[in-house]
Amino acid sequence: MTRVETVARALYDLHCYAPDNGWDTTHGKSRRGLYMADARCALKADDDTFAACRVCGAPTRIVADLGSIPLANSFTRDAPRFPVRVEVCDDCVLAQLEETVDPSIMFCEYPYRSSLSSTFVAAAKTLVEAQDVTENDFVVEIGSNDGYLLRHYQCRILGVDPSDVPADVPTRREFFTEHLAEQIRASHGPARVMHANNVIAHCPDPHTIMAGIKTLLDPDGVAYVESPHVDGLAWDTLYHEHVFYWSATAMCRLADKHGLAVVDAERLDVHGGSVRYHLRHRGVPTEAVLDLIGRESSVRWTLDRDMTLDCERLRRIVDRARRAGKRVCGYGAAAKGAVLLAVSGVDVDFVCDTTPGKQGQVMPGTDIPIVDESHLGYADVAVLFAWNFHDEIVNRVEFDGEWVMPHG
Ligand code: DWN
Ligand code: ZN
């Protein structure tokens, strides 16, 4: 075996078989593969049988296939492409990618800045202000990005984030694991509050995240885990960075496997519909949690159909605009914009975005330039790729042309 094959095999075993990771191996081998950092050629560790849910081990079935698309935050013409196929476990209503890309390819050089959205920053500030912490308490955020949340605390704080995003809070530049949690606890003590926003969806091994929370959380502490919810999932949020699309059912099972309890859940509007789960060492779930679980068995899986209809509609709108001699642009070089361009094949003249690190680059796998917002005036029609910030963008940005929403 080559070195890459050896590493791939080790990771494959870790993610698919290790019983101490909480995996149920009784359903046989997963056919799921893992794409490796130093094997851009997409080394795929697949051999046989059927895929199994990464949380409960039950068999899964495919509900969406986007084909091979570029990595959504790789802003080059030749961005690497990998398949995106989504499978669902009907037992715990957890959607998950059939094959995953090594996180170090995707998250170490990361242009995304949470602070660029005033909606995000305001929500983070409100959440922080609601916490009952004193100066000496310790708070940890997993996936702390540029510090948009932790900076609002007046106590001891630590961010954990493997990316190169400049941060104005103390940050451990690593992936969060159970092992890292042990180290942090040994040096700083237990955390009174932990946050993990849009991070448990991104990690191929959610067991290590949950075990790490268990390790680091103070006996009376609370951990807030936020993630888009399976109900109402938008197909353009299906991409390599999102390995999981969580349900309350699956979150409760994962927490339980690691000795934690989901004691409350709040529905949030962010990212087209998310849930903030409240986890503690022990406790009983509120009605809100039970209500979410109760509704999840009737989630409808229409992703492939939605994708076909949305793409057809968008192609029609753009063709009509072009025939009328209009200029069409995109707004927001969001990951979902990259997915939309790749799947629909729609062409836009340029994409406006306020992120300095994205300007001057091109949309993943295309020649479409990303420019600053002042260029918007050159377009007659703007497709709002960042549709999740519709109100924030449309109310703030001056544009005399027509806004088009990607989802009809
Ligand atoms: O989970 C993830 C979320 C939290 O963020 C990731 N895997 C990747 C990323 O997804 P995304 O790129 O689709 O995220 P956003 O936040 O929807 O991206 C919005 C884009 O629009 C950013 O590039 C910033 C840009 N933007 C802008 O140009 N003007 C955003 C706002 C609010 C604006 O006013
Ligand atoms: Zn499952």
Side-chain angles (χ1 to χ4, degrees):
M1 270 205 274
T2 64
R3 191 177 71 80
V4 168
E5 283 165 343
T6 311
V7 178
R9 173 52 59 188
L11 277 165
Y12 181 59
D13 289 348
L14 174 74
H15 292 305
C16 299
Y17 303 128
D20 56 353
N21 263 354
W23 286 83
D24 178 352
T25 56
T26 55
H27 293 278
K29 284 183 183 175
S30 165
R31 67 162 179 259
R32 194 175 286 119
L34 180 84
Y35 292 100
M36 296 298 300
D38 41 0
R40 287 258 160 116
C41 54
L43 187 147
K44 198 174 156 195
D46 65 344
D47 6 33
D48 40 47
T49 61
F50 52 81
C53 171
R54 289 173 169 91
V55 165
C56 76
T60 54
R61 63 187 171 93
I62 299 287
V63 290
D65 188 349
L66 279 68
S68 198
I69 61 173
L71 293 183
N73 271 300
S74 180
F75 295 95
T76 60
R77 171 90 188 76
D78 57 357
R81 290 173 175 265
F82 300 105
V84 171
R85 267 158 56 99
V86 179
E87 51 191 22
V88 65
C89 165
D90 290 314
D91 234 50
C92 64
V93 204
L94 178 67
Q96 48 207 290
L97 290 191
E98 183 190 39
E99 293 166 341
T100 57
V101 175
D102 181 345
S104 66
I105 300 181
M106 296 187 287
F107 300 121
C108 293
E109 283 173 38
Y110 204 56
Y112 186 78
R113 302 279 181 281
S114 302
S115 290
L116 287 178
S117 158
S118 54
T119 315
F120 259 13
V121 174
K125 193 163 182 280
T126 307
L127 178 60
V128 170
E129 284 168 358
Q131 303 312 310
D132 183 18
V133 285
T134 57
E135 211 178 307
N136 225 357
D137 282 328
F138 180 45
V139 176
V140 173
E141 185 183 12
I142 309 168
S144 45
N145 197 268
D146 55 10
Y148 76 104
L149 184 146
L150 283 180
R151 70 173 70 123
H152 303 293
Y153 274 104
Q154 308 287 326
C155 63
R156 294 182 301 127
I157 50 174
L158 181 67
V160 179
D161 198 304
S163 75
D164 56 356
V165 175
D168 55 10
V169 298
T171 307
R172 284 285 291 253
R173 296 280 169 202
E174 283 173 69
F175 286 101
F176 184 80
T177 59
E178 185 178 8
H179 179 63
L180 182 62
E182 282 159 8
Q183 288 180 7
I184 295 175
R185 187 177 175 125
S187 52
H188 295 74
R192 178 83 190 178
V193 182
M194 293 183 73
H195 296 275
N197 292 349
N198 296 303
V199 72
I200 200 154
H202 296 62
C203 175
D205 183 3
H207 295 279
T208 198
I209 302 251
M210 206 47 96
I213 293 175
K214 176 73 187 172
T215 302
L216 189 50
L217 192 64
D218 182 273
D220 296 320
V222 58
Y224 297 105
V225 175
E226 243 177 75
S227 191
H229 188 253
V230 276
D231 199 6
L233 202 58
W235 64 267
D236 53 356
T237 61
L238 309 175
Y239 50 92
H240 313 94
E241 289 178 18
H242 297 163
V243 182
F244 294 101
Y245 309 87
W246 286 90
S247 62
T249 312
M251 191 63 75
C252 289
R253 285 192 188 175
L254 180 71
D256 185 58
K257 272 177 193 282
H258 296 279
L260 289 163
V262 176
V263 295
D264 204 359
E266 302 165 64
R267 291 211 73 139
L268 309 170
D269 283 340
V270 283
H271 296 301
S274 292
V275 174
R276 178 185 295 146
Y277 302 95
H278 301 204
L279 281 74
R280 291 185 179 274
H281 285 284
R282 68 198 71 77
V284 285
T286 54
E287 275 301 316
V289 180
L290 300 176
D291 186 54
L292 263 179
I293 292 174
R295 291 161 188 262
E296 286 172 351
S297 52
S298 51
V299 168
R300 290 175 65 237
W301 298 100
T302 57
L303 292 162
D304 264 343
R305 198 200 62 189
D306 298 349
M307 179 166 69
T308 306
L309 292 177
D310 285 342
C311 289
E312 281 171 359
R313 173 182 159 273
L314 205 59
R315 281 193 290 265
R316 270 199 310 275
I317 292 174
V318 172
D319 283 354
R320 199 180 309 136
R322 292 230 189 266
R323 279 201 303 276
K326 294 181 176 171
R327 282 179 69 111
V328 182
C329 78
Y331 187 98
K336 46 197 162 295
V339 175
L340 203 123
L341 288 172
V343 176
S344 69
V346 157
D347 191 22
V348 295
D349 297 323
F350 54 89
V351 174
C352 296
D353 195 288
T354 52
T355 316
K358 294 185 183 177
Q359 293 162 3
Q361 312 223 48
V362 293
M363 288 301 282
T366 75
D367 290 323
I368 301 167
I370 302 169
V371 293
D372 70 63
E373 211 173 69
S374 65
H375 292 74
L376 193 59
Y378 294 108
D380 306 293
V381 174
V383 183
L384 188 52
F385 293 152
W387 48 261
N388 47 323
F389 294 121
H390 173 274
D391 292 355
E392 177 176 344
I393 292 169
V394 170
N395 292 334
R396 182 184 59 77
V397 176
E398 282 183 22
F399 180 48
D400 294 332
E402 180 194 353
W403 288 107
V404 170
M405 294 298 282
H407 304 289

